[in-house]
Amino acid sequence: MSDTQEEDYILSHISPEPDHLARLYRRTHLNHLYPRMCSGHLQGRLLAMLVSMIKPMRVLELGTFTGYSALCLAETLPNGGEVHTIEVDDEMEDELTQLFATSPGGDRITLHIGDAIELIPSIHEQWDLVYIDANKRDYIAYLDLLMPSLRPGAFIIADNTLWDGKVYDTVKNHDAQTTALDAFNSYVAAHPRLASVILPLRDGLTLIRVD
């Protein structure tokens, strides 16, 4: 079975993609560079499922892009739950503000525009769940900044941690993003307060629990 056949089979046997997210996914591919950065049906359903299992009240997302993953994170929040999402590209602000104002669950999302390294310390919350999908070179810096504001038992989801297989390809693993992700994976694996598992989903997804 080819990878395409496998993906088609999986997508036809999981919970359907909500209509507003399917439209957003299509708009992303029509109107934005690097549309692969959009989470999509499978990863989006996984994010929504994890939120429904963990039941976090305060969620932080690093890297909003076109808002697909933020809406998935907000979709199954408990009553009173909030998602804070940080996007570095200020040209996305108007589009994202409009999206969240008109989408199911968007009223649970607070958008922050700026560099995550600068903004993380300025948002005075204790996080139950963090989704990291921003600048790959800064994953370790993000984690170090986040640790003081993570509740015991909090979860982190880190995206792109296999990076098209480059992290374990000794020929192709010398660019800055790949070496940074490889360093992050090693850092997490050795960290005394973290338990982790890497899922070979899309570009690699690491689930981390904080002791």
Side-chain angles (χ1 to χ4, degrees):
M1 180 181 288
S2 70
D3 290 345
T4 300
Q5 287 176 308
E6 181 179 73
E7 181 176 0
D8 289 345
Y9 181 86
I10 290 170
L11 295 180
S12 66
H13 288 82
I14 64 173
S15 299
E17 185 179 36
D19 289 344
H20 68 285
L21 292 177
R23 292 192 295 269
L24 174 57
Y25 188 78
R26 177 167 173 75
R27 288 200 305 272
T28 299
H29 279 71
L30 290 173
N31 300 324
H32 291 273
L33 294 173
Y34 311 114
R36 189 183 176 202
M37 291 167 54
C38 187
S39 292
H41 182 185
L42 176 56
Q43 190 163 322
R45 291 307 86 204
L46 177 60
L47 292 176
M49 178 73 76
L50 289 171
V51 171
S52 70
M53 294 167 66
I54 297 168
K55 302 186 186 308
M57 295 303 295
R58 295 293 178 269
V59 178
L60 177 64
E61 176 183 53
L62 309 182
T64 318
F65 191 41
T66 57
Y68 190 108
S69 51
L71 290 172
C72 293
L73 293 167
E75 182 180 323
T76 55
L77 279 176
N79 289 336
E82 299 176 2
V83 173
H84 290 253
T85 184
I86 298 175
E87 173 54 44
V88 70
D89 185 357
D90 58 5
E91 293 185 0
M92 292 296 298
E93 183 171 10
D94 290 344
E95 179 178 334
L96 289 168
T97 299
Q98 175 67 16
L99 174 73
F100 297 148
T102 57
S103 299
D107 58 333
R108 303 173 182 175
I109 300 172
T110 299
L111 174 65
H112 304 265
I113 299 294
D115 188 325
I117 288 180
E118 297 176 1
L119 289 176
I120 288 170
S122 71
I123 306 173
H124 301 294
E125 293 280 0
Q126 290 288 303
W127 306 111
D128 305 301
L129 175 65
V130 177
Y131 179 50
I132 302 177
D133 190 17
N135 189 335
K136 312 310 166 191
R137 303 181 192 191
D138 291 331
Y139 270 31
I140 291 178
Y142 297 149
L143 181 59
D144 286 342
L145 284 171
L146 287 164
M147 289 300 287
S149 59
L150 292 169
R151 297 185 190 278
F155 287 86
I156 301 167
I157 306 168
D159 199 12
N160 306 120
T161 49
L162 293 180
W163 206 233
D164 276 334
K166 290 182 181 180
V167 292
Y168 52 82
D169 187 326
T170 58
V171 176
K172 299 179 180 178
N173 70 350
H174 301 301
D175 64 276
Q177 295 189 91
T178 303
T179 55
L181 286 167
D182 183 35
F184 173 79
N185 292 338
S186 297
Y187 187 72
V188 169
H191 200 294
R193 290 189 56 202
L194 304 178
S196 63
V197 60
I198 299 176
L199 303 178
L201 174 68
R202 295 187 71 200
D203 209 11
L205 197 70
T206 301
L207 306 183
I208 303 166
R209 185 184 184 277
V210 182
D211 290 336

